[in-house]
Amino acid sequence: MSNIKIACIGECMIELTTGDTPNNLIKNYAGDTYNTAYYLKRLLNNQADVSYITAVGTDALSHKLIDALSAADLNTGSIRCLEDGKVGLYLVSNDDDGERSFTYWREASAAKRMFDGDEGDALLASLSDYQMVYLSGISLAILTPVARMKLVNALKAAQVSVVFDPNYRPKLWQGAKEASSAMQDLVSATQATVMTTLDDEQLLNDLHTDRDVVAFWQQAGAQEVIVKKGAEGCLIASEEQLVPSLEGIRPLDTTGAGDSFNGGYLAGLALGKSKVDSAKLAHNIAAQVIQHRGAIVPEHQLNLA
């Protein structure tokens, strides 16, 4: 597939990670859907136009964020600049196994209002211009309930291929019931492909087996379900197959692991690979990401084979 137009919807933030010493902080730009967009573009190169849809402010940090996305060859034409908006920020901390925890400052994030007003309506109408739209549970969580429903209705009307990662973050919702209901509304309306994890599903829907996760999302209307299982690999529901992860990988930082997997998998499909081979490509990209601090591995350090 060539010249495919893909939109990724969400919030790109300032990411602070520790450097060689605890007092040395490294600044990057990241966020779950941006991470996926980044790896999608790296893998597809000129075979796809990958747009990032969000809102930022008009301050220097916001302009630098747009510059960073442009430098990553992402299409920034659908980014709104709101005069009273800001860019969110988060700090990543890691334990000895590379598992991460986050501290967020996102209360004034402009991304929450990306679909507000007439310009927001125009942005929603433009979704029909794409062949694929990718978003996550965080994309839904940061929006007001009204904006969330407008987005779901717009995606349904656009009849576009939707890919959704629940990526459940309890602090962004009033509770698991609200989150699950909003996510099911999206999947039901769009027959989305769902790319989830067993850890998220245990918190979100009290599901504890792969089979239960697949059945739940298929009943909600998903056309495909991928269950990401970390070091074990991933289950592709339609193939009834577990595709193993790479062996012998010691994580340094698991930030962006699932996001990069999603980008690799979707890129593989766009390149005409089978679902199993797309998952193998995704595992390869994710393995590189978790051996690097932060969610974004510079292009010159990536092995894209």
Side-chain angles (χ1 to χ4, degrees), residues 26-86:
I26 300 172
K27 184 185 77 172
N28 288 300
Y29 295 99
D32 66 334
T33 53
Y34 164 67
N35 303 338
T36 298
Y38 175 86
Y39 292 107
L40 263 173
K41 185 60 180 177
R42 296 284 70 73
L43 288 160
L44 295 177
N45 199 5
N46 60 4
Q47 297 185 66
D49 181 333
V50 181
S51 294
Y52 197 69
I53 296 179
T54 190
V56 298
T58 57
D59 59 319
L61 284 175
S62 293
H63 288 304
K64 288 181 179 179
L65 186 151
I66 294 175
D67 290 343
L69 269 60
S70 295
D73 295 327
L74 297 177
N75 188 326
T76 59
S78 294
I79 295 180
R80 294 185 64 188
C81 295
L82 305 178
E83 289 188 4
D84 57 345
K86 300 292 182 185

Side-chain angles (χ1 to χ4, degrees), residues 86-260:
K86 300 292 182 185
V87 176
L89 178 150
Y90 69 96
L91 174 69
V92 183
S93 301
N94 298 100
D95 63 21
D96 292 340
D97 294 322
E99 287 300 326
R100 75 278 193 222
S101 59
F102 305 95
T103 304
Y104 291 96
W105 295 268
R106 71 197 317 169
E107 290 77 9
S109 173
K112 298 178 180 181
R113 295 181 284 125
M114 70 177 93
F115 297 126
D116 289 0
D118 292 341
E119 288 187 34
D121 290 340
L123 199 55
L124 290 168
S126 74
L127 296 178
S128 61
D129 296 337
Y130 300 94
Q131 282 80 55
M132 179 190 296
V133 173
Y134 174 83
L135 71 163
S136 75
I138 295 176
S139 310
L140 296 180
I142 63 174
L143 301 174
T144 65
V146 171
R148 198 180 299 151
M149 188 53 62
K150 287 170 60 176
L151 173 58
V152 170
N153 290 338
L155 287 169
K156 180 178 180 180
Q159 297 185 330
V160 64
S161 176
V162 174
V163 181
F164 177 68
D165 184 338
N167 208 2
Y168 178 50
R169 296 294 180 266
K171 291 181 180 179
L172 296 179
W173 298 91
Q174 295 299 314
K177 184 176 180 180
E178 180 203 28
S180 183
S181 177
M183 295 176 190
Q184 289 179 72
D185 285 345
L186 169 73
V187 172
S188 175
T190 63
Q191 288 74 60
T193 291
V194 175
M195 305 184 73
T196 189
T197 68
L198 196 55
D199 287 345
D200 274 350
E201 295 299 330
Q202 289 172 351
L203 293 173
L204 178 63
N205 295 308
D206 195 26
L207 302 173
H208 299 272
T209 69
D210 300 342
R211 178 177 295 182
D212 288 343
V213 171
V214 169
F216 179 90
W217 286 111
Q218 286 178 338
Q219 186 174 8
Q223 67 165 344
E224 177 64 287
V225 182
I226 312 294
V227 184
K228 294 173 287 183
K229 297 167 64 68
E232 292 184 53
C234 72
L235 173 69
I236 305 174
S238 63
E239 302 290 319
E240 297 184 343
Q241 182 172 348
L242 180 70
V243 183
S245 298
L246 276 65
E247 295 182 353
I249 304 298
R250 181 171 175 80
L252 174 67
D253 179 358
T254 58
T255 304
D259 308 328
S260 59

